[in-house]
Amino acid sequence: MTEGTQVRLDAVVIGAGFSGMYALYHLRERLGLEVQVFESSSDVGGTWFLNRYPGARCDTEAFIYCYSFSKELLNEWTWSGKYPEQRELLSYLQHVADRFDLRRDIAFNTRVVSAHYDDDSALWTVRTDTGDEYVCQYLVSAMGTLASAPYRPSIPGIEDFAGRWCHTGAWPQDLDLTGRRVAVIGTGSTGVQTIPVIAGQADHLYVVQRSPQYTVPAQHHTVDAAVFAEVRARYDEIWEQSRWSLGGFPWQHNGLSVFDVSHEERDATFRRLWEEGGFRFIYGSYKDLMTSLDANEVVAEFVRARMRERIEDPVLAKKLIPYDHPFGSRRPIVDSNYLETFNRDDVTLVDLREEELLRITTRGLLTEAREYQVDVIVFATGFDAVTGPFRRIDVTGKNGVTLQEHWADGASSYLGLMVSDFPNMFTIAGPGSTFGNHPVTMEHHVEWIGDCIAFMRRSGIDSMDPTADAESEYAEEVRAQIRSTVVGETDSWWSGANIPGKPKVPLFSLYSYRKYRSTCDKAALGGYERFNRNHSRAGDSVTADR
Ligand code: NA7
């Protein structure tokens, strides 16, 4: 295309990760729309294209961390083990792109810089950094919640550092850590994954910890093809269970309270789930783990005891085990060999609760206690979740109001799917959406969007956006849900608390995926009653419950 041209489309999708690829497939193949996807990276994959740090691996089991929409795809792809590595996931997504001929509608190395809604035409004008303009009726954000907005804290002195530094989410492919002195700042899911692997490469590793975290062992292992054959035979049941589960996984709690059973029985259940590893421990045990602080403390104590067993030095164990927040009140962490890494002589914990980090020097990190001389600083400091990806785009809705203005006091949307005054803009995993196994929750979002667009086309509706009341009532519902769980006021990226200055509001509904899903389905019943529906072609506008 010649630079500066304007193209008319039905839909623009931003991002070609898991959700953008499915959005393209669904809107193009199932609805017959003309769709264009923009992706700032040079290939598909999103999170799995960008996160290439040592040890990058999915912490959800492979057999349910994949698309379910195509039986053929499920039957032809075999995973190498329980948890797929970044490289394997990227190959899978590349295979999906080829198999469904998705690349022809994806513009790579192209960043969307603005999206403006025009009230009169009810159309969006999308501009890219190539200087081109695209006019479309539907705008779908599939930018993901994390990967496209890495966060690095501004620690004074970084510009003086003589070594190399990087963020885990933008890993330099030429960075060789063999024999180097390395500092990793951050012990969230990413830090916990990369620390054991970097420890095996570096001459000495300094782990800079601000807060200790609970961690559950992954119990990773390779998986025989025969096991996947069994899974394939049960896939209908597995997906159905996952779609109506607590978190998008095919396991359920046992329906009992922690206090309904004896200590021995409880301990046996926890030990069995601990051996199975990962999220089964969180989603497959007792019903009140996430809703009763007393029940949670019983589980937390079990986890602390298991963590203690893995650390040889009791003084170190005290620093690495959390006591100040409920188990599961921050995003659960699944690890392979994390705590054992601290038993090595060439790994040192720098506990920021004991020695404040003052600055970065030319030679490394200066704390209140001493200077740590390093060659490389790795920032495993997370992401500006959910709203971060939108900061790089000028999104302007009805009456010239920008999304940043709309979200100035905290991000909100209706169902995590649509924003009041931003008609026909759909946000996959937007603020207030559910938190769970992403491929499962994302497929539901895409299909909900597809159903909504199909409804609009059937009904001659040009544009739709949720009413302000629907959006604010939904936000209150999400807040109430959070208050009814053990998450409460615990700070983390789930509420935006990890980003200085970001308004603290729940960015996810953390209650139950099953409940969230039926709430979305109900919102569509009866002709999307809580949405403003604009029939401009017929000159007829319906403003719902305002
Ligand atoms: P997280 O979970 O946000 O973890 C970031 C880590 O970085 C965490 O340990 C933070 O400490 C630490 N951090 C952040 N800022 C600082 C400063 N200024 N000084 C020291 N330490 C700091 O990000 P991840 O990448 O690990 O995981 C994000 C998600 O990706 C994960 O949940 C999965 O869904 C995939 P804190 O605990 O806040 O004290």
Side-chain angles (χ1 to χ4, degrees), residues 248-372:
F249 303 95
W251 32 82
Q252 283 292 5
H253 58 66
N254 57 18
L256 299 170
S257 159
V258 161
F259 300 111
D260 285 344
V261 295
S262 66
H263 169 77
E264 290 71 27
E265 187 177 337
R266 194 159 64 211
D267 198 60
T269 303
F270 288 151
R271 281 181 191 274
R272 175 178 54 76
L273 292 167
W274 194 259
E275 286 313 310
E276 289 180 16
F279 290 130
R280 287 170 198 256
F281 185 80
I282 293 140
Y283 290 100
S285 66
Y286 293 93
K287 68 176 182 187
D288 43 2
L289 185 110
M290 289 297 287
T291 50
S292 151
L293 281 171
D294 290 340
N296 187 278
E297 181 53 22
V298 173
V299 186
E301 218 11 70
F302 176 89
V303 175
R304 291 184 197 118
R306 299 290 78 71
M307 288 176 72
R308 221 171 280 128
E309 288 166 358
R310 298 169 61 190
I311 309 159
E312 285 165 10
D313 176 355
V315 177
L316 207 50
K318 260 201 159 150
K319 297 179 183 179
L320 288 165
I321 297 172
Y323 293 90
D324 60 351
H325 62 276
F327 173 70
S329 66
R330 309 181 90 196
R331 200 277 198 185
I333 295 183
V334 176
D335 82 280
S336 290
N337 221 22
Y338 174 63
L339 295 169
E340 291 78 0
T341 301
F342 292 92
N343 299 332
R344 297 173 65 124
D345 294 335
D346 54 3
V347 174
T348 303
L349 179 70
V350 180
D351 183 355
L352 297 187
R353 290 184 173 184
E354 291 192 343
E355 44 183 309
E356 197 187 326
L357 178 57
L358 300 176
R359 61 176 289 116
I360 292 171
T361 63
T362 49
R363 295 182 303 192
L365 304 176
L366 181 67
T367 71
E368 286 172 325
R370 56 170 275 204
E371 185 180 37
Y372 296 90

Side-chain angles (χ1 to χ4, degrees), residues 61-296:
E61 294 183 39
F63 78 101
I64 41 156
Y65 194 82
C66 55
Y67 293 108
S68 74
F69 71 88
S70 161
K71 273 243 162 85
E72 295 76 19
L73 178 61
L74 288 168
N75 285 333
E76 72 200 15
W77 188 268
T78 299
W79 300 99
S80 66
K82 188 174 174 187
Y83 301 95
E85 269 187 296
Q86 173 268 333
R87 222 176 304 185
E88 189 174 9
L89 265 163
L90 184 57
S91 309
Y92 167 74
L93 291 167
Q94 288 166 335
H95 167 74
V96 174
D98 294 334
R99 193 191 192 293
F100 297 101
D101 193 17
L102 300 181
R103 290 180 198 279
R104 74 178 146 98
D105 291 317
I106 305 175
F108 294 105
N109 300 309
T110 308
R111 183 178 288 284
V112 169
V113 293
S114 69
H116 289 181
Y117 181 73
D118 177 61
D119 293 309
D120 296 330
S121 63
L123 294 172
W124 285 91
T125 299
V126 175
R127 291 185 185 83
T128 66
D129 59 359
T130 56
D132 298 311
E133 275 189 8
Y134 298 78
V135 174
C136 60
Q137 193 170 4
Y138 313 108
L139 178 65
V140 181
S141 158
M143 293 190 282
T145 48
L146 297 161
S148 60
Y151 164 67
R152 179 174 63 79
S154 50
I155 300 170
I158 185 81
E159 61 288 349
D160 302 332
F161 183 54
R164 284 186 79 174
W165 62 264
C166 65
H167 189 282
T168 47
W171 192 265
Q173 292 307 292
D174 65 337
L175 182 57
D176 182 3
L177 298 178
T178 317
R180 318 291 294 279
R181 295 163 305 170
V182 181
V184 174
I185 302 178
T187 53
S189 296
T190 304
V192 163
Q193 264 190 354
T194 200
I195 283 161
V197 181
I198 293 182
Q201 300 169 348
D203 172 55
H204 198 100
L205 172 64
Y206 297 94
V207 176
V208 182
Q209 173 190 272
R210 189 165 67 177
S211 322
Q213 300 253 46
Y214 296 100
T215 172
V216 174
Q219 315 287 20
H220 177 64
H221 51 77
T222 53
V223 178
D224 289 344
V227 173
F228 280 115
E230 258 176 60
V231 166
R232 284 194 191 107
R234 291 199 303 112
Y235 252 136
D236 286 346
E237 181 198 334
I238 288 171
W239 293 125
E240 194 51 24
Q241 244 183 322
S242 305
R243 287 181 192 126
W244 298 102
S245 65
L246 205 56
F249 303 95
W251 32 82
Q252 283 292 5
H253 58 66
N254 57 18
L256 299 170
S257 159
V258 161
F259 300 111
D260 285 344
V261 295
S262 66
H263 169 77
E264 290 71 27
E265 187 177 337
R266 194 159 64 211
D267 198 60
T269 303
F270 288 151
R271 281 181 191 274
R272 175 178 54 76
L273 292 167
W274 194 259
E275 286 313 310
E276 289 180 16
F279 290 130
R280 287 170 198 256
F281 185 80
I282 293 140
Y283 290 100
S285 66
Y286 293 93
K287 68 176 182 187
D288 43 2
L289 185 110
M290 289 297 287
T291 50
S292 151
L293 281 171
D294 290 340
N296 187 278

